[in-house]
Amino acid sequence: MKNHTRFTAATLLLASMLATALASCGDTAKTPAETQAKDNTPANTAAVTEAVTEPVDLAVANVPADLNYGGFKFSFIISGNIENNRQKNDFYSEGENGEALNDAIFPRNLLIDDRLTITIDTSQEYDTSNT
């Protein structure tokens, strides 16, 4: 009797899951143009307009155009452990060398140096002990 109850409960659970899955595979949502084409009542005849926005240059962000630090030197002390024989430094790059992270850091620093008239300086102090 106990196995029969478990079987019935499992069957009902499976049936409800299948019904939910089948119901979710119904008709796809209509685009505003399709809805407007089918429903041409006076209330829905307004023209659909798209907002036109200026492209955003993510490399410049929200920095005022006249911001100028006059060659100020920003210094960062980079410290920490060396992991997997690699020093982690997100601020310094000698130049592009084919490594993805390094090749992103170098042009970013050049852009910031030119845009804000600053100099980025890093001092690296890594712990090489294996503690």
Side-chain angles (χ1 to χ4, degrees):
M1 186 71 168
K2 195 173 192 178
N3 285 338
H4 179 68
T5 305
R6 286 184 182 175
F7 177 76
T8 304
T11 305
L12 289 174
L13 180 62
L14 178 63
S16 66
M17 289 171 50
L18 286 174
T20 304
L22 291 174
S24 67
C25 295
D27 192 18
T28 59
K30 295 180 173 106
T31 63
E34 291 174 337
T35 305
Q36 187 177 4
K38 287 185 179 180
D39 188 16
N40 261 342
T41 60
N44 292 328
T45 56
V48 177
T49 59
E50 294 183 22
V52 178
T53 58
E54 294 293 323
V56 177
D57 187 1
L58 297 177
V60 177
N62 271 340
V63 179
D66 60 345
L67 188 61
N68 183 339
Y69 285 97
F72 186 81
K73 183 178 182 180
F74 283 88
S75 298
F76 296 93
I77 297 176
I78 312 298
S79 64
N81 294 327
I82 296 176
E83 295 180 12
N84 300 324
N85 295 324
R86 184 175 187 304
Q87 299 171 347
K88 293 182 178 182
N89 185 344
D90 294 338
F91 293 98
Y92 177 73
S93 171
E94 291 180 3
E96 294 180 350
N97 64 2
E99 183 183 335
L101 181 59
N102 184 70
D103 290 354
I105 292 171
F106 184 71
R108 178 205 59 193
N109 288 352
L110 287 177
L111 178 72
I112 292 171
D113 288 354
D114 292 340
R115 177 85 167 93
L116 302 177
T117 59
I118 65 169
T119 302
I120 296 176
D121 180 47
T122 60
S123 174
Q124 303 175 26
E125 298 177 16
Y126 293 101
D127 180 15
T128 57
S129 64
N130 293 328
T131 57

